Amino acid sequence: MRTTAQVAVQRKEIGPGTITREPINTGKFSKPLARVYIIPERCKECDYCWTFCPNDVLEMSDEINASGYHHPKVKAGKENDCVNCGMCQAVCPEFAIYAKEVA
Amino acid sequence: MISPQVKTGGPVVKVQHHVNDEVIRPERLPNIWCPGCGIGIVVGAYVRAIQKSPIARDRQISISGIGCTGRVSGYLNLDSYHTTHGRAIAFATGMAVARPELEITVIAGDGDLGVIGGNHLIHAARRNVDLNVIMVNNFNYGMTGGQHGGTTPLGAKTHTSPYGNVETPFNIPYLVAAAGASFVARWTAMHVRQVTAAISRMMEVKGFAFMEVLSPCPPTFGEFNGYPDPLDMMNYFKDKAVVDNNADLSGIGVTTHPEDSVVVGNFVDRKRPSYQELLGDLRARVSAQGGAKK
């Protein structure tokens, strides 16, 4: 398997002989993937989770809970973008949302 | 390279229990606070700090006074005390002296701690009682309908100051640092990770550990001062907060004016003998010489 540097030389993005380095442990790391869990009855539609999600995964859903508030949902096409940063859980004043890494 | 087992996050999953439910009383939720209130964020930060803390759950005590923030104790599945107005620190001081092994956290509002209980605050800081005190500052008396108080910024409009507040507010971190606290910080409800980290640090500090958390109050303060939506004040904190741990505390009053910045940070972290340590030394010294002299 070729390194990123070898690929870049072949694509003529960098000249041959240029010193390039790649961390030797790149393969050990992977992007976490998490699933979003909500407790709809606790939501008060404060807009915080979908506004402050750094990966822009959440949005307001069309469904309402018993109090008439719209709870969050995962955006269509963003199902695999949650990286379990914990921002939605931290910024939620209602203990209504959390994410958990997919095992 | 695609791994043979493709994992998917999938859509949102509806459940009945939260991962923090072991420290809160889930049967009492949803809480009474308005949509977008910062008190719930502070409670969440406190709950996560407790979950991370090495201190056993049965040694963690939460004490609160009266007002919106006074309701915090009712939502925590700890030994929690809902005390009289302004006297949360007085209750906590007695408990901390009688049982020094407990980790006592006072969570109360600006009116409770800074105005009605102002003397308890400065004297507990002067004695350096080993307590953690979290003041949720929403700039007004929220629960009673939005009257102006000792932390309402100069010129801010409230129900009882419709033409603008003419009183100069307290600069709370400056006051508590001058009174002698071991740890003084200010963060906002937007700085969720820093609030959690500061609470974890406050649990380690031996002495009076104080944090002011600025919080949105959309229906009673924000509505009259240009922040009617919960997001307005959160975005103000996000855009205008300046982290400066070595700030000159005399100049960090909050104006909530959209042009003015909010200075936040862990301002003071110093070693001073705590009240319990000095009291323990005194007890040891007096009992070594055979009790009090006649």
Side-chain angles (χ1 to χ4, degrees), chain A residues 35-36 38 44 48 63 80, chain B residues 9 13-15 18 31 33 36:
Chain A
R35 195 169 288 157
V36 183
I38 61 163
K44 289 186 195 152
Y48 290 170
E63 295 172 46
N80 296 326
Chain B
V13 184
K14 291 177 190 173
V15 287
H18 194 273
N31 57 44
W33 298 310

Side-chain angles (χ1 to χ4, degrees), chain B residues 12-293:
Chain B
V12 75
V13 184
K14 291 177 190 173
V15 287
Q16 293 298 318
H17 299 286
H18 194 273
V19 284
N20 296 140
D21 273 2
E22 51 175 355
V23 191
I24 58 175
R25 298 179 198 262
E27 70 277 9
R28 304 200 60 181
L29 293 177
N31 57 44
I32 60 148
W33 298 310
C34 311
C37 180
I39 301 169
I41 299 176
V42 177
V43 178
Y46 177 56
V47 163
R48 279 183 290 281
I50 285 177
Q51 285 179 325
K52 278 185 213 159
S53 168
I55 300 164
R57 195 78 47 80
D58 58 0
R59 281 174 53 204
Q60 294 276 8
I61 310 287
S62 135
I63 301 184
S64 61
I66 298 294
C68 294
T69 321
R71 305 296 289 257
V72 167
S73 290
Y75 296 113
L76 291 167
N77 191 14
L78 303 169
D79 285 339
S80 53
Y81 296 83
H82 188 194
T83 67
T84 47
H85 204 352
R87 316 298 165 217
I89 290 180
F91 273 77
T93 303
M95 199 178 287
V97 171
R99 298 281 303 272
E101 74 277 15
L102 299 178
E103 188 63 44
I104 299 166
T105 305
V106 175
I107 306 181
D110 51 314
D112 200 55
L113 288 179
V115 187
I116 295 155
N119 247 330
H120 295 297
L121 176 71
I122 57 175
H123 286 283
R126 173 181 66 82
R127 292 177 183 132
N128 211 23
V129 187
D130 187 6
L131 294 176
N132 313 318
V133 178
I134 302 167
M135 176 194 284
V136 183
N137 184 357
N138 61 0
F139 313 110
N140 74 118
Y141 293 109
M143 182 168 273
T144 47
Q147 292 82 8
H148 75 279
T151 52
T152 308
L154 191 65
K157 288 174 184 163
T158 65
H159 271 302
T160 51
S161 58
Y163 302 104
N165 182 25
V166 291
E167 300 175 16
T168 305
F170 271 134
N171 178 348
I172 299 281
Y174 188 39
L175 172 78
V176 178
S182 278
F183 180 90
V184 180
R186 175 200 272 161
W187 293 103
T188 76
M190 188 62 230
H191 295 84
V192 281
R193 295 184 205 281
Q194 290 90 332
V195 170
T196 312
I199 296 172
S200 298
R201 177 73 193 125
M202 286 161 76
M203 288 176 180
E204 293 164 10
V205 168
K206 296 283 169 219
F208 195 77
F210 178 86
M211 173 165 61
E212 179 188 24
V213 183
L214 305 180
S215 159
C217 188
T220 62
F221 183 81
E223 189 186 344
F224 306 105
N225 294 285
Y227 306 99
D229 197 75
L231 274 179
D232 295 337
M233 193 154 256
M234 287 294 262
N235 282 324
Y236 167 66
F237 292 148
K238 193 180 168 194
D239 298 338
K240 290 291 178 184
V242 178
V243 181
D244 185 359
N245 292 332
N246 302 311
D248 175 15
L249 294 185
S250 64
I252 61 159
V254 183
T255 63
T256 66
H257 190 275
E259 303 285 306
D260 291 348
S261 59
V262 182
V263 181
V264 294
N266 297 321
F267 304 124
V268 176
D269 195 344
R270 62 189 163 194
K271 269 201 141 153
R272 275 188 67 215
S274 74
Y275 184 69
Q276 285 98 317
E277 283 166 5
L278 293 173
L279 195 66
D281 290 351
L282 177 79
R283 279 192 186 131
R285 205 168 64 234
V286 173
S287 57
Q289 69 186 30
K293 281 173 188 160

